[in-house]
Every structure is written in C-alpha cells, then in structure tokens.
Amino acid sequence: MFFLGDLPPTQYDLRFVVFGIPVRVHPFFWLAAVLTGMPDLTDTNYRLGYLVAWVAAFFLAILIHELGHALLMRSYGYWPWITLHGLGGMASYAPGQARTPALWGRVAIAFAGPGAGFLAAALVVLGFLAAGKPVEVQLAYYVIPHIMPSPVGSVYLTLFIYYFLHISVFWGFINLLPVQPLDGGQIARELFAHYNPGDGVRLSLMLSFAVAGLMAAVALIQWRSTFAAILFGYLAYQSYAMLAIHGGRGPRW
C-alpha cells in the first residue's frame, strides 16, 4: 500500500527486523490504525478489546503485505526496508547487487504485497479446516471473498482473526484496482508503458482517474463510507494532477 511518501524518522518510531529486513513503524501508523477502528465506538456493546484486536490485525496484515514486496525485491538483489505509516506503508530499496527485473518481474514485485496477504489468509483458513473448525465464505459485491471464521478462544481472538482476514483479502483486492499509487495502479502503469511506450503512462493515469472516481461514488452510495469516498476522491485528484504533467490539463479521452 502506498498512501503517503516515506516520512522522516522520529524518536518515537518502533524499529525491528523481520527475515533480515529492517522495519520502521512511524507513530502516524498507530494513529491511523486507531482512527480506522473507531467506528466500533458507535456499537453500544463496544469494548476496548475490539479496538485492540483491530489495531493488532491492521498491523500484522500490512506488515505481511509489505514483506511480500520486500522479500521479492531481495530475491532480485535489492536491499529492501519497510516503513509503516499513515494508512499503509511502503517497501523501499537500495540498489545492492540488483539485476533490473524485466516487465513481469516488476509486475510480480507489485503483486507480491496483496499476494502475501492472500497466502496468509489461505493458511489461516486451512488451519481452521484442519482443526475441524468451519469457515464460511461469502462473495462481497459478487467478486471479493468475505471470510467468516467460526468462534475460537475469546471473542477478542475471534475478532482479531476476522479483522486480519478482512484486511488481507478484501483490502488486498481493493489494492489491486488500477488506481495509482496502489499496487494495481503500479501494475497497470508498467503494462501500459511497456506496450505503449509513447503514451502508456498517460493512459494508465486516465484509467486510474476513472476507476478512482467510480470507486469514490461506490464508497459513498453503496458502502456508505465517507472515509473511503474521501480516500478514493483524493486518489482521483492525484491522478488528475499527474495527467496535467503527462499531456495537458486533465484527461483527453
């Protein structure tokens, strides 16, 4: 996920290493996690444990997502690191002994983030099935799997697993939309630029602008989510602004 540029370090950053990859968690990440989990406060049965379960799932799901990018980067010889901030994070890299990946290598690196989330969710589901615990799978909006695990342990553990599956799968699919700078937008940009070197970047931005605008409307009307509508509206604006750089003011259909 790429919602913000890399933020400068602070004395409050959390730092650790996973599989030899340095990870830095900016304080804004925790703030965003809490704010996105706050709608549960409208529930009269709200418990602080619900928010803790959400923040923990948010952190783990996004960390796994960025590790997917970073581990594949390292397989190409890059020296990656991860920064978690805002509503997501970014996997960055230094050249190292890197060999520049071909088109499908670059596409694979972009897909590796959502792919890691899908794999993690699949392993959780397989674990439930192996333990004899039923898992209900529904299709959200006719396309995206919505996974409902059976209760296990405490209500907070069950909520943590549910939130983790939701973020890994539902938002994994959303992140593959051809909207820049989401992973799907990066994939679309690579493909358009490769097959249409002269105008591919502009065309990918046009697609990004259109899809982000459509998603803003869907979020507001269908999902009734003001937050998601503002987010996609902002991404649509970003694409529109970039179009001003790549071939005139706004889209040329």
Side-chain angles (χ1 to χ4, degrees):
M1 298 180 179
F2 303 94
F3 290 108
L4 294 171
D6 203 356
L7 297 176
T10 76
Q11 61 178 321
Y12 304 106
D13 289 349
L14 173 65
R15 296 176 182 270
F16 55 93
V17 176
V18 181
F19 302 131
I21 298 172
V23 179
R24 178 171 70 91
V25 186
H26 192 278
F28 281 174
F29 177 83
W30 304 115
L31 176 62
V34 169
L35 291 177
T36 53
M38 290 301 280
D40 280 342
L41 286 171
T42 62
D43 186 349
T44 57
N45 296 317
Y46 171 80
R47 298 290 185 275
L48 180 61
Y50 297 176
L51 183 59
V52 173
W54 167 263
V55 171
F58 188 85
F59 168 73
L60 181 61
I62 294 180
L63 176 61
I64 289 174
H65 177 104
E66 298 304 334
L67 279 171
H69 292 305
L71 289 171
L72 198 54
M73 287 175 182
R74 191 167 65 182
S75 74
Y76 280 96
Y78 293 112
W79 294 336
W81 67 88
I82 292 170
T83 308
L84 302 184
H85 56 76
L87 290 175
M90 61 190 306
S92 309
Y93 62 84
Q97 303 298 318
R99 61 189 189 280
T100 302
L103 170 66
W104 294 110
R106 299 193 299 273
V107 168
I109 289 174
F111 180 80
F118 298 152
L119 177 59
L123 291 175
V124 171
V125 170
L126 288 175
F128 267 78
L129 297 178
K133 299 271 188 188
V135 176
E136 182 180 353
V137 180
Q138 301 174 348
L139 288 182
Y141 309 108
Y142 308 102
V143 176
I144 305 174
H146 184 69
I147 304 172
M148 300 287 293
S150 57
V152 54
S154 70
V155 63
Y156 302 121
L157 178 58
T158 301
L159 277 173
F160 166 77
I161 295 171
Y162 168 75
Y163 289 147
F164 174 77
L165 292 172
H166 175 73
I167 297 168
S168 298
V169 176
F170 185 85
W171 286 104
F173 273 91
I174 295 298
N175 203 38
L176 285 173
L177 290 171
V179 175
Q180 297 185 33
L182 303 181
D183 293 325
Q186 300 299 321
I187 292 172
R189 182 186 180 102
E190 291 287 352
L191 293 175
F192 275 75
H194 179 80
Y195 291 108
N196 188 345
D199 205 30
V201 172
R202 188 182 67 85
L203 291 175
S204 71
L205 286 167
M206 290 173 62
L207 177 62
S208 176
F209 171 76
V211 174
L214 175 62
M215 290 304 300
V218 168
L220 190 61
I221 298 170
Q222 181 70 31
W223 298 353
R224 300 180 184 273
S225 172
T226 303
F227 172 79
I230 292 173
L231 172 62
F232 279 107
Y234 174 70
L235 295 179
Y237 167 77
Q238 275 194 320
S239 295
Y240 186 92
M242 290 300 295
L243 276 166
I245 299 174
H246 292 277
R249 300 175 64 87
R252 291 187 286 114
W253 304 101

